[in-house]
Amino acid sequence: MIAIRRFSCLLLPLLMTACASVDMAAERALIDTDIQARQAVSTAPPVLPAEGERLDRETAVAYALANNRGLAADLAEAGLARADWLQASRPENPLLGIVWQPHEGEPDFFDVDLMASVMGVVATPWRSAAARTRYDATRDRAVLRAIDFAAEIRLAWIDAVAAEQRAELQSVIAEAAEASRLVAEEIHDAGNTPRLDLVRETLFAEQARLEAQAAAVEADQARLTLLGLMGLPPETAVELPDRLDAPNDESVQIDLDQAREASLPLAAARAEAEAFAREAGLENWASLLEHTEVGFVAEREDGDWIEGVSLETVVPVFDWGGPRRAAARIRASQAADRFAQTETDIRIAIRQAEQAHEAAMVTLDALQSRILPTSESMLAESLRHYNAMQIGVFELMAAFEMRTQAGQNLVDALAQAQKAEVRIQQIRAGGSPAVLSASAGNAMAAPSDEGGH
């Protein structure tokens, strides 16, 4: 008796569906449209400013979105997720088996078997729906990556401009300290001051020189960071604005319902939870029927064709699929917990962003309305007393240092206020609800009455 190999099948996928592919250019265009709608950022290929022109913040953002290759690689995850979705939308290909055994003096033997997995065909709509939901989550995360990246560029631009301002102010302090040292040296050589005063001014001048060098390095580091995020080589020459502008006076209150609706992390977490829930429901059947196959069998022997249907399945003696079903339920529970925590994170982030902006504006107001004018008045008064020979050069330099330190604190306050605005814009656009560090940036301490001497 000739054994008959039995396999299984249902239907072949439609040819046009099987040949569908992913257009990554179209996928990127959809992401760019969503980014532009959320942040009003131009995604058209930008042009760097001409020589002598300043690189403004939004131009830096647009250029980075178009040219950062790491971002492009991250956004390509949406294309991979679409490919997975298309793949999950197709039933598993059937397997065709043909056996031909020629016999001398009698009819040849033919055996034709066509098979496919039951779950590979029947579960296709459920797997497709789960993959579509997972694609939505991945696409949301791709847009989220771009929104967060745009905020990162804005922060890097603020840091670069502020660092150049601080370096400039520190250079002024170093020049003044060196001038003070030279005057102290002349007065000491004339025998009018003790050596202690000269040593003090020499140490201060050397310290100011080192701090000026460090500030210059920090400014160059901040500029290189900005260039790297923009996808530009380190030797690229860009000219930044001389100073940071004052922050906007518009309201920074964030509506919680609007923030939840716009939140991309929340949308992605919701989609992930739905996908895992679908997969958990499917796993109840897949764990038992994954290897079940039905199919069509045709056999020719002695010149006659015999046709029939075959069924093959695994006998669940040792494994009933319990661990797989439990794991699927755990993953679904994990996704639900992450979704709930994301909602809490959004509420915390909104409160932190509003408080950070309020604190930055209070500090900025104090510096602009009281501390800076007071330090300027003190410097002017010190200069008047110095010209009247009522104070020495050391007291004059202390007043000058305090005025310059107030200017540095103003730069820091402007930077912190603008960073707080960027954070609020990021949340409104649906960005990540990351915890805002209270120690971010440089400390903005009021100048001491004792000066630096």
Side-chain angles (χ1 to χ4, degrees), residues 179-190:
S180 177
R181 186 194 66 80
L182 293 175
V183 172
E185 187 175 0
E186 293 177 359
I187 296 175
H188 173 72
D189 291 344

Side-chain angles (χ1 to χ4, degrees), residues 89-169:
S89 300
R90 293 154 174 72
E92 294 181 6
N93 287 327
L95 181 63
L96 176 65
I98 300 177
V99 177
W100 171 49
Q101 295 179 346
H103 298 279
E104 294 183 2
E106 58 184 72
D108 295 344
F109 170 78
F110 287 95
D111 182 44
V112 180
D113 304 326
L114 194 59
M115 69 176 187
S117 168
V118 171
M119 291 301 299
V121 176
V122 176
T124 297
W126 286 271
R127 286 175 174 159
S128 176
R132 169 58 194 267
T133 306
R134 202 173 296 282
Y135 160 75
D136 291 339
T138 304
R139 186 174 175 277
D140 285 339
R141 288 199 179 92
V143 178
L144 170 65
R145 174 71 179 97
I147 296 295
D148 290 346
F149 180 75
E152 185 180 358
I153 291 295
R154 292 185 175 97
L155 296 177
W157 183 91
I158 293 170
D159 285 339
V161 175
E164 286 195 358
Q165 282 188 263
R166 284 191 288 266
E168 181 182 349
L169 290 171

Side-chain angles (χ1 to χ4, degrees), residues 357-372:
H357 185 271
E358 181 180 356
M361 295 303 293
V362 169
T363 303
L364 186 59
D365 179 69
L367 284 165
Q368 290 178 325
S369 63
R370 298 190 299 276
I371 297 176
L372 194 60

Side-chain angles (χ1 to χ4, degrees), residues 39 41 46 55-69 71 145-161 222-232 240 244 418-419 422-423 425-426:
Q39 283 210 325
V41 176
L55 176 66
D56 64 83
R57 193 170 72 182
E58 295 311 304
T59 299
V61 171
Y63 197 92
L65 288 174
N67 291 277
N68 188 285
R69 303 294 290 273
L71 176 66
R145 174 71 179 97
I147 296 295
D148 290 346
F149 180 75
E152 185 180 358
I153 291 295
R154 292 185 175 97
L155 296 177
W157 183 91
I158 293 170
D159 285 339
V161 175
R223 184 186 67 84
L224 289 173
T225 298
L226 179 61
L227 291 176
L229 292 173
M230 294 175 64
L232 295 171
L240 296 171
L244 293 171
Q418 288 204 7
K419 287 182 177 182
V422 168
R423 183 74 184 110
Q425 293 172 0
Q426 181 183 8

